Amino acid sequence: MAEEDKIKKTFTTMWGTFCYRVMPFGLKNAGATYQRAMVTLFHNMMHKEIEVYVDVMIAKSKEGEDHLVNLKRLFDRLKEYRLRLKPAKCTFGAKSGKLLGFVVSERGIGVDPDKVKAIRDLPPPSSVGEVRGFLG
């Protein structure tokens, strides 16, 4: 483990503060563990007021006046569990944006044109063998 990363893997228990010297085997499952923790902490808000997936957390509302109430509940819950957000990654008041390969707006969810561009720009197959490779 890189020396500068050791502090990131430090944890505190009732017996003291500990720091890994090598990458612990269980951390390979960190994404699933994080998602499970978020579902546990925000269980009564998920799919109603917020969405959480991997490292994305979204407060949502159907009406503008409800949005401040939902944000306050989200921030209160974050504070209750001493969780922090990176200000550089936060966006407020967005009416639309790109999320996990989709464009999300008040009109609904659509495909991100940048993701489709890679497929659109693929050259056509030069032989039947190439097509068989995709089907095979």
Side-chain angles (χ1 to χ4, degrees):
M1 179 184 304
E3 196 62 41
E4 63 271 11
D5 290 338
K6 285 185 180 179
I7 191 69
K8 297 174 189 171
K9 307 302 176 221
T10 302
F11 59 96
T12 304
T13 69
M14 59 205 287
W15 301 284
T17 302
F18 299 88
C19 180
Y20 288 107
R21 292 188 214 194
V22 296
M23 182 64 85
F25 186 75
L27 282 181
K28 71 177 185 170
N29 233 4
T33 303
Y34 168 82
Q35 187 68 32
R36 201 171 324 116
M38 293 301 102
V39 169
T40 301
L41 299 180
F42 296 103
H43 67 280
N44 62 335
M45 298 170 72
M46 298 273 290
H47 310 302
K48 297 175 205 121
E49 303 163 32
I50 67 167
E51 298 294 340
V52 179
Y53 183 73
V54 188
D55 64 345
V56 177
M57 188 176 288
I58 298 174
K60 62 182 186 175
S61 59
K62 291 190 181 200
E63 303 297 325
E65 55 271 4
D66 296 337
H67 198 61
L68 289 177
V69 174
N70 293 349
L71 275 174
K72 175 148 180 29
R73 288 193 62 203
L74 172 62
F75 288 140
D76 288 345
R77 186 73 54 94
L78 289 167
K79 187 176 179 181
E80 178 184 348
Y81 291 105
R82 289 188 263 165
L83 298 173
R84 293 185 175 90
L85 303 175
K86 282 188 175 181
K89 289 187 169 188
C90 294
T91 304
F92 294 95
K95 298 246 185 224
S96 68
K98 292 182 181 180
L99 175 67
L100 303 171
F102 296 94
V103 176
V104 180
S105 71
E106 50 196 21
R107 291 180 295 173
I109 299 173
V111 177
D112 180 357
D114 294 339
K115 301 292 181 185
V116 176
K117 184 179 182 312
I119 296 169
R120 212 179 270 146
D121 293 346
L122 273 175
S126 59
S127 69
V128 174
E130 276 188 39
V131 175
R132 281 193 195 121
F134 285 114
L135 301 175

